Amino acid sequence: MPFFLISPAVRASRAGRGVASEEERCLPASALSASTAARLKPPPRPMRRLLPRKRVVSGVQPTGMVHLGNYIGAIKNWVALQDLYETFFFIVDLHAITLPYDAPELSKATRSTAAIYLACGIDSSKASIFVQSHVRAHIELMWLLSSSTPIGWLNKMIQFKEKSRKAGNENVGVALLTYPVLMASDILLYQSDLVPVGEDQTQHLELTREISERVNNLYGGRKWKKLGGRGGSLFKVPEALIPPAGARVMSLTDGLSKMSKSAPSDLSRINLLDPKDVIVNKIKRCKTDSLPGLEFDNPERPECKNLLSVYQIITGKMKEEVVSECQDMNWGTFKATLTDALIDHLQPIQVRYEEIMSDPGYLDSVLLDGAGKASEIADATLNNVYQAMGFLRR
Ligand code: ATP
Ligand code: MG
């Protein structure tokens, strides 16, 4: 498990404080004067060195093409998080079956999503990348958690209400009601500290927190100890990690709706794997307005704000730079500039994606390795829960 590494800056400041180097500490004590020996006495280890890094988990469903919203709102941020935290990024295939889906497509979409993670810069030497269904503990813990989740809590979920209304109430699968418990299992199995969530997922994260507190109270602490366990909490209660502002990418055809895989029109989104001519066409046809100049902060111009924000994020420019560059442009000039920037940004990702997909052995080994690391942690949590809930173990 990775631990906090001492940065060069900390090393330099230690040298300035007269702290002993590794070589000095290796000298025999008899070779040192008393004052030097006192100076070289190893300092107490900073707490940060002893603590494991915080854990972060997140995933994307293999339900369609990964789009610019998923990239800017989720995957691009994960690339930075993998350097700061112990990270688990998985393809949430078990969630992809809550609504009717195309079975022959599921495994292809799962591989493709994994390859997109890698192509976008998720590094398997830093993060565990795996397929949710490859770690059996997710489903097992979900069942155990279900017994402690009141049905009233699930009936309140906005996504359930909206999606079941759209799909025709009585006909939706039970999984649409219970998948938030699977999401709780996805998070709690890894004793996660932080969960990056978009606005659409905050209610589910709150539910996860409530379930974890309830199960900790029902089965943790002294009750668990009496059954031979270590006592204390079975689960860490996770916190939401709010993505940077401006990370809600809106539809190309309606600046007030979020860009979505499930939106019926493909013209509403830029998919990460869209070829050049498709990007050119989608930006050419995207919704604009007839006001002069371009601006970020006019609430009457949601499309203008959305397209400028996308341009800012993918070019890595400051907002002020984008304002001075684009404020006097007309839509034709800006659309050409945005199209070029999108193609420049996405092309290297697409090239890496093709390389990864052309080497299935490599992708398989990344997913196997990731599932192995994930299973170790997940199984430890699951075993604790079985024990605390009183099951006879083999
Ligand atoms: P669906 O329409 O099937 O729900 P989706 O486009 O919402 O698909 P998900 O797989 O549900 O994609 O979400 C994966 C991640 O991408 C989540 O962290 C979610 O918050 C984020 N995300 C999805 N759409 C956007 C968006 N338009 N802008 C920013 N982040 C987004
Ligand atoms: Mg979604």
Side-chain angles (χ1 to χ4, degrees), residues 61 70 159 163 200-201 258 260-262:
Q61 304 183 56
N70 302 137
Q159 289 220 352
K163 289 188 175 175
D200 51 335
Q201 294 301 327
K258 141 182 139 53
S260 228
K261 289 196 226 109
S262 53

Side-chain angles (χ1 to χ4, degrees), residues 69 72-73 198-200 243-251 255-259 305-306 309-310 313:
I72 290 176
E199 268 171 35
D200 51 335
R248 188 170 168 83
V249 179
M250 309 311 275
S251 158
L256 296 174
S257 307
K258 141 182 139 53
M259 187 177 282
K305 176 185 177 173
N306 185 45
S309 303
V310 166
I313 292 169

